[in-house]
Structure formats: C-alpha cells, structure tokens
Amino acid sequence: MTDLASVWSALGGDPALLSRVSAVERPGVLDARLPVRGSARACVGACALAAAELAALRTGGGEVPAVRVDDGAVATAFVSERHLLVDGRAPESFAPLSRFWRTADGWVRTHANYPHHRARLLAALGAPDDPEAVAEVLARARAHEVEEAVYGAGGLAVALRTPSEWAAHPQGVAVASRPLVERARLDSAPARVLAPVGRDPLLPAAGLRVLDLTRVIAGPVATRTLALLGADVLRLDAPGLPELVDQHADTGFGKRSALLDLAAGGRDVFEELLAAADVVVTGYRPRALERFGLSAEALAARRPGVVVAQLSAWGADGPWGGRRGFDSLVQVGTGIAVVEGGLDSASSPARPGVLPAQALDHGSGYLLAAGVLRAVGEQVSVGGSRVVRVALARTAGWLLAGSADVGVGGDVPVGRWLAERDSPLGRLRYALSPVVFEGGPRDWGRAPGRWGADSARWV
C-alpha cells in the first residue's frame, strides 16, 4: 500500500507516532492512473514525522511535534522545477533529444540533457544532432537493441516495458526483493551525542555536517531537505561535469557548492572533509562509487559513526546495478509509462504516458532524507555507523503496487506554497518545502549560490 503507515514501517518508525500526522487532502492534484498523490503525501509525511521525532529528541524528549501534510504543498514541491523562475525566466525541463521515440518494434526513451550524454547517444546511433535524423535512425531499429547499444556507449536509453515484462526481467526481480528503504547498521561505533537545539525554529538537523555527492533531482532533494532542517550541507562536484544552471538553482537551497576532483589531487581534501562529516549522501552508480572508495563500508571504516545514504536509479544489485538512470527512464523500464499511457502492450501504436511529476525522484528524495533522520536518532541510543539505500526502481515498484487515487481534478492556488528572494543567481521564485511540523522551519536560511563557488571546507 502506498500509504504513510507502510512508509513509516519501512523506515523502522514507531507506529504509535502516526497519530501525530494530519493531512489536508486535495483530490485532483498530481492526477494520474497510479496513486501518485497518495504516495507523494506518504513520502513527505514520513520525512516530516522523522524530522519531528528527531526534534523531540533534541529538545529533551516530550511529545513529538504535530505534523501537517497538505496535498497542495506536496504537489507544488513535486514539480518545483516547473515553478522556478530566475529573473522571470522559466527553465527548460528536457532537452530536444530527451524524449520518447518510435522504433520498429515499440518505443524507447532517451535522456540527453547533459552534453556528454547527448554526445554518447549520437555516437551510438551514428546520427547528427538533429531530432528528425535521430527519429529516422530509431524508426528502423529495435528498441532493446537501441537500449544496449546506447548504454554500451555510455549514454542513456531505455526500451518501453510492461509491468509484467519488468517483473520478469532479472533487474526487476532483483529490485523487488529489496525493501522500499534499505537500512543497516555497519559496525559498533559509539552512540552519537547531539547537542540540544532551540525552538525558534526547531532545527532537528542543526550541527550535522552533510557531504552531498549527488546530482539532478532525487539526491539533491534529500540534501535540500536536510539543509532546510538545519544541516550544514556541502555539495561536491567534479570540475569537468558542470551541473545544469537551472537544476542547481532549483535544488541548491540551503547548501554550499564546491568543486573537488577525487581523481586529480582532491583525495586529501576529501578525507579531511570526511573525517568531520556526520552524513555522506551519494547519488552515483553504486559500482562507480566503489572504485573511489566511497562504498558505505569503506566510508564507515575511515569515519566510524557516519551515516551513509545512497540513492541509485536501478538498485545496487542485479545486472543493471551499474547502469546510469533518471526518473523518466525508470518510468519507461518498469512499466509506469505503459500504465500512464493506457497501453495494453509495449507494441501498441498509442504513445506511452508519463507521471504528472518526476514523482520517483521527489518521492525517493524525501524517503532518503527520512532515512537519514531516523538513522541519526537511532545512533543516539545504540550507536553504529549506518547505511540507508533508496532506488528509483524500487520506489516505482511500490507505486505500481498501490491502489489508484480517486478524485476530481481541480485548480489549487499554488501561490501560498511559493516564495521569492534575491540570490547570486538572480531573483528567484521557488517552491517552499512541504516538510512541515509544529515549530519547524518554513524556508531555507540560504539561497542557492553559484555552482562550485564555495570552498571545499567546513564552516
């Protein structure tokens, strides 16, 4: 079930605390064939409850602050990139080559927002940088062959599958065997000691140092949420892989951004940062992380007591455990695009559909942040380094297993969940966080700065 109780259980939470959560339901928002509205509410509600639980712990115990989840706030935040304005300019969401394409035997979706992914896609197809030329090449090809060829070239393309085809796929089998939120204790590090926090506002993550090694949406949403709750979040990127400007503006609230190349002299700086970090959040392919000594086990060995939060597209196990992926591609591979398009099979001539938001990204981001907050709270009583893992494909399976939301579409005034402020990037209009609890913060203390403009050090 895509409800709060199931998510809270996956996080290891006390079911008695569910009574602290109330919801404002707005049928019609995030309208879809799948239960997007309910699942989004559950992910945000669980994150807010985890924050409230930790807040109670850090203020000396007592009753957990009340949590209120408003479907309007959730729906606004789940499409935060669509509400973003930078000096009045709306960002571009998808590049021209990031879309569905008809193939000789079905459909394939590509992702080419980043220049290096676009170059690899075109190289694999042997096509010029022109949508019409790409369409002609793909129209003569078989979807699964395109998928393998593009991935083999380091690009991104996924063939459309039905839910039953995904369930029978080796990667689908591997992902289905894992819990929605994987949680494990890695060692017997001493219990964490947290200083008390004040109440104006309640910042349950205050004092926590978070290394943010994530990109695009899901991971940055998680760290953006931790920053809202008071954490000192330092995002690190390799100098040769610039982030998209608008993507950074949308998810950079509350954080600092620095450049560090682990492969070219940055290792000593990283180890100094790690030695003082409380949380490390990663959003790269699990097998790629291992090559840099960034697996959960390796990080905990060098920094006992750390919480490692890992976000991946396809999960850490199975034949696709090393593949890149994005929300839009996971929707296609797992069968969500078939369901949302109302197709009977992957070979139907009708166009595949999409969710009303990058719901796998946003939902997984709040799940990951909730897992971090609960792990920190558990460390206070029993210690131990911790790992929390979330995969977009596992979130997709959970969504597919839910019951459809029932509601009548209607307009919701989103203005109450938007704010404006000046920033080094210009005047920003942006969505407020939907993570709301009694006494908690309503906005970030810091606007996003320029990508890579900060020093790679703690303050």
Side-chain angles (χ1 to χ4, degrees):
M1 295 291 291
T2 50
D3 58 15
L4 176 60
S6 68
V7 177
W8 191 239
S9 175
L11 291 163
D14 180 358
L17 293 182
L18 292 171
S19 63
R20 302 300 298 155
V21 183
S22 62
V24 178
E25 298 189 21
R26 300 182 187 275
V29 303
L30 296 176
D31 191 29
R33 294 174 182 268
L34 291 169
V36 176
R37 177 168 55 93
S39 66
R41 183 195 312 130
C43 292
V44 171
C47 186
L49 184 55
E53 179 188 38
L54 186 58
L57 178 66
R58 299 196 66 181
T59 52
E63 190 171 46
V64 170
V67 170
R68 186 177 179 86
V69 189
D70 191 310
D71 282 353
V74 173
T76 303
F78 265 56
V79 291
S80 60
E81 64 276 7
R82 300 180 200 172
H83 293 295
L84 177 70
L85 292 179
V86 182
D87 285 335
R89 176 187 60 81
E92 179 183 84
S93 297
F94 285 99
L97 298 185
S98 296
R99 46 167 278 197
F100 286 107
W101 307 88
R102 197 75 167 94
T103 64
D105 63 343
W107 291 88
V108 69
R109 180 152 190 172
T110 56
H111 195 287
N113 285 6
Y114 289 93
H116 58 293
H117 290 156
R118 181 178 68 248
R120 294 167 186 173
L121 170 68
L122 294 172
L125 299 179
D129 190 359
D130 175 70
E132 291 187 9
V134 170
E136 290 178 6
V137 172
L138 292 175
R140 299 190 298 268
R142 299 179 66 83
H144 291 279
E145 293 175 357
V146 171
E147 177 182 271
E148 292 304 315
V150 173
Y151 265 101
L156 293 127
V158 174
L160 183 68
R161 289 173 173 83
T162 65
S164 59
E165 287 172 336
W166 175 248
H169 190 280
Q171 191 62 35
V173 173
V175 170
S177 69
R178 313 303 295 182
L180 178 62
V181 181
E182 295 185 52
R183 305 161 54 251
R185 180 175 175 175
L186 299 173
D187 56 28
S188 57
R192 181 183 291 276
V193 177
L194 291 173
V197 296
R199 296 177 178 272
D200 188 24
L202 272 174
L203 297 174
L208 295 178
R209 288 174 165 172
V210 179
L211 276 180
D212 179 3
L213 310 180
T214 70
R215 291 172 71 83
V216 195
I217 298 178
V221 163
T223 52
R224 180 179 72 182
T225 302
L226 296 174
L228 172 82
L229 300 172
D232 178 9
V233 179
L234 177 61
R235 172 168 165 167
L236 299 178
D237 285 282
L241 291 175
E243 180 59 284
L244 301 175
V245 174
D246 294 331
Q247 190 76 67
H248 174 67
D250 179 44
T251 59
F253 284 89
K255 312 176 194 179
R256 291 178 295 118
S257 169
L259 304 181
L260 190 66
D261 193 342
L262 295 180
R267 173 61 66 177
D268 289 344
V269 174
F270 178 82
E271 294 302 324
E272 290 178 6
L273 292 169
L274 175 63
D278 299 287
V279 179
V280 179
V281 186
T282 66
Y284 295 88
R285 292 170 294 149
R287 294 172 194 172
L289 293 170
E290 292 173 4
R291 295 199 301 270
F292 288 98
L294 300 178
S295 69
E297 293 75 12
L299 290 168
R302 305 199 305 277
R303 176 63 169 106
V306 73
V307 174
V308 181
Q310 297 180 327
L311 186 285
S312 65
W314 304 105
D317 304 315
W320 286 14
R323 289 198 174 189
R324 299 173 179 85
F326 293 94
D327 180 307
S328 58
L329 301 182
V330 175
Q331 290 187 40
V332 174
T334 59
I336 287 175
V338 170
V339 175
E340 289 300 324
L343 308 180
D344 295 325
S345 70
S347 60
S348 169
R351 187 176 182 84
V354 297
L355 296 176
Q358 300 286 91
L360 306 181
D361 264 333
H362 286 271
S364 295
Y366 291 111
L367 289 177
L368 198 66
V372 168
L373 296 168
R374 292 231 64 255
V376 168
E378 290 173 341
Q379 286 180 320
V380 172
S381 57
V382 296
S385 303
R386 304 291 172 126
V387 61
V388 180
R389 293 189 180 98
V390 174
L392 301 186
R394 183 64 188 89
T395 304
W398 171 65
L399 180 63
L400 282 162
S403 301
D405 290 328
V406 177
V408 178
D411 294 330
V412 176
V414 300
R416 73 182 76 174
W417 300 297
L418 299 177
E420 291 191 16
R421 70 197 303 175
D422 292 321
S423 80
L425 304 176
R427 181 72 176 176
L428 301 180
R429 186 192 75 176
Y430 58 97
L432 293 168
S433 174
V435 175
V436 177
F437 58 94
E438 185 179 7
R442 287 299 300 121
D443 203 347
W444 288 271
R446 175 189 174 102
R450 297 192 181 281
W451 179 79
D454 297 296
S455 298
R457 61 181 178 82
W458 297 115
V459 295

